[in-house]
Amino acid sequence: MNSPNNDLSNRLISLVQELLGAGALLPQPFPLEQQLSDLGISSLKMVNLMLSVETAFDIMIPQAEITPENFHSVATIRALVERTLKAKPAP
């Protein structure tokens, strides 16, 4: 059974793959700690990734959290999403 961490990572990997396009050759297994710019994510694609993450997880990333460090890798984005989800008020 997949853990919530794996599910979250898999969803983020899917978002990265969508941004890079069908022709992108990504290492398997996906390197969660690898810098996304090394995989071909430009600064413009990084903005699109941030917007995709907000939409996919129904969150609003606080302005103070929109930093290069938080969008360094899938692992750092996963930690950001987890923090943001925990801070989100219940409906």
Side-chain angles (χ1 to χ4, degrees):
M1 186 170 114
N2 275 349
S3 73
N5 254 0
N6 282 343
D7 290 343
L8 187 54
S9 294
N10 289 336
R11 287 176 69 189
L12 290 169
I13 291 167
S14 292
L15 292 174
V16 168
Q17 287 173 324
E18 281 176 34
L19 275 176
L20 290 174
L25 295 176
L26 296 175
Q28 296 298 328
F30 190 91
L32 297 178
E33 303 289 337
Q34 186 167 353
Q35 190 166 326
L36 291 173
S37 60
D38 291 347
L39 296 172
I41 297 282
S42 64
S43 55
L44 181 59
K45 285 183 179 175
M46 194 64 74
V47 171
N48 289 332
L49 178 59
M50 181 202 68
L51 296 172
S52 295
V53 166
E54 286 185 328
T55 301
F57 296 97
D58 191 28
I59 57 174
M60 185 73 160
I61 298 170
Q63 192 69 37
E65 295 276 23
I66 301 172
T67 64
E69 296 78 23
N70 284 337
F71 286 87
H72 174 82
S73 66
V74 168
T76 59
I77 297 172
R78 183 183 66 215
L80 170 64
V81 169
E82 289 170 342
R83 283 194 310 274
T84 306
L85 286 170
K86 282 181 189 164
K88 186 177 176 181

